[in-house]
Amino acid sequence: MLFRSAGLVYGDSSRAFIFLNRDDPFARRRFSLAHEIGHFMLHGGGALARATARPGPVPLDDEPEVLRQRLPRNWHNRLNAAEASALKVERVGNKPAQYQWLLDREQALQQQRGYRALPKTFIPAYQAACKASPDRDVVNQDAVNKDAVNKHDANKADALFTLRADLDRTPVAGMMFLRHGDAATYHVGWSDAAQRLPGAHNLLLWQAMLQLRQAGVRRIDLGGVNTGRSAGVARFKIGKIGRAHV
């Protein structure tokens, strides 16, 4: 199984070096930099060498019918089952009070399973940074059509994309993506283990693919994978694309 590396942090508690994939777009490199700084802040107590390995991106250029045909059979079956269930998917707003519940549940899962991730304060900081920072992938905005510029500025303000799956009006699963440029990256996902709804994440990711595609996103990055600590999540991510790319 091969993975491509978006970033690497190497060093110890006093000093570290961060390397980024120069072939990635600027928005992706900026995101990877923040990710690697998070690794250093969370795990930099001793010698540190961590790479952001990830499955290849999921392209969204094709029509929905074609995208669905490409789903692996097992993944497709779970999606069909979830669509036939009583689950209802809703878009969550981008104000902290509207998405905080998902971050709280994911943090509780961190404590339960004994792992660490980026703090909850990262999300509002990311939103603020996206609003304030120019996107260097947009060259010479004076020469760009005004409608395209307005759409670009709207996308910067809409830095988060969050979905929630409800069962009888009770949240049972959630998924958050961070938007950067014409891409979106899977940031966090949660499902209520007590409900035993194995297809909830499949349904959320499929709906994210459709809605993000409609909003102009061209690819989804499923984020890093850890086949040791989070084997179930790794299988879900790799299973979506069938294989990983370099």
Side-chain angles (χ1 to χ4, degrees), residues 10-176:
Y10 177 82
D12 56 30
S13 59
S14 62
R15 184 175 65 173
F17 298 91
I18 294 176
F19 303 89
L20 302 175
N21 189 328
R22 66 182 180 183
D23 293 330
D24 283 343
F26 171 77
R28 172 66 219 192
R29 282 182 277 130
R30 181 176 57 190
F31 179 85
S32 298
L33 176 62
H35 184 97
E36 298 306 329
I37 291 174
H39 273 313
F40 177 72
M41 298 298 293
L42 291 170
H43 310 294
L48 180 65
R50 295 176 183 270
T52 304
R54 67 184 193 270
V58 180
L60 302 178
D61 293 325
D62 292 319
E63 294 297 320
E65 295 79 8
V66 177
L67 294 176
R68 186 151 185 145
Q69 290 173 2
R70 291 177 177 171
L71 296 174
R73 178 177 297 179
N74 289 343
W75 210 97
H76 195 286
N77 292 341
R78 291 162 72 92
L79 173 60
N80 287 340
E83 289 178 329
S85 72
L87 287 172
K88 302 297 182 183
V89 176
E90 298 288 342
R91 172 83 185 272
V92 177
N94 287 340
K95 296 181 179 179
Q98 296 172 306
Y99 61 71
Q100 190 64 43
W101 64 273
L102 177 57
L103 301 182
D104 289 341
R105 283 165 172 78
E106 202 277 334
Q107 188 173 60
L109 195 61
Q110 292 180 36
Q111 296 173 350
Q112 177 185 344
R113 297 184 179 179
Y115 68 91
R116 300 176 68 187
L118 291 171
K120 293 187 291 185
T121 52
F122 173 80
I123 296 301
Y126 180 77
Q127 287 179 287
C130 288
K131 289 181 181 180
S133 176
D135 191 337
R136 295 179 189 175
D137 289 336
V138 177
V139 181
N140 190 8
Q141 287 195 356
D142 292 337
V144 180
N145 180 277
K146 286 186 177 180
D147 291 339
V149 173
N150 291 336
K151 182 177 180 180
H152 169 71
D153 291 340
N155 287 342
K156 285 176 60 180
D158 202 19
L160 301 184
F161 181 84
T162 308
L163 293 178
R164 182 188 73 231
D166 292 346
L167 186 63
D168 297 329
R169 299 184 179 181
T170 300
V172 293
M175 192 171 288
M176 177 182 286

Side-chain angles (χ1 to χ4, degrees), residues 136-222:
R136 295 179 189 175
D137 289 336
V138 177
V139 181
N140 190 8
Q141 287 195 356
D142 292 337
V144 180
N145 180 277
K146 286 186 177 180
D147 291 339
V149 173
N150 291 336
K151 182 177 180 180
H152 169 71
D153 291 340
N155 287 342
K156 285 176 60 180
D158 202 19
L160 301 184
F161 181 84
T162 308
L163 293 178
R164 182 188 73 231
D166 292 346
L167 186 63
D168 297 329
R169 299 184 179 181
T170 300
V172 293
M175 192 171 288
M176 177 182 286
F177 296 82
L178 306 184
R179 294 187 59 177
H180 43 91
D182 63 352
T185 293
Y186 175 101
H187 179 65
V188 65
W190 164 85
S191 61
D192 188 347
Q195 294 291 339
R196 295 187 178 182
L197 299 169
H201 268 184
N202 303 69
L203 179 61
L204 287 173
L205 181 54
W206 173 246
Q207 284 298 316
M209 291 170 62
L210 296 180
Q211 295 183 38
L212 286 169
R213 178 184 179 277
Q214 189 172 14
V217 172
R218 299 185 59 190
R219 62 189 182 279
I220 292 179
D221 189 326
L222 295 179

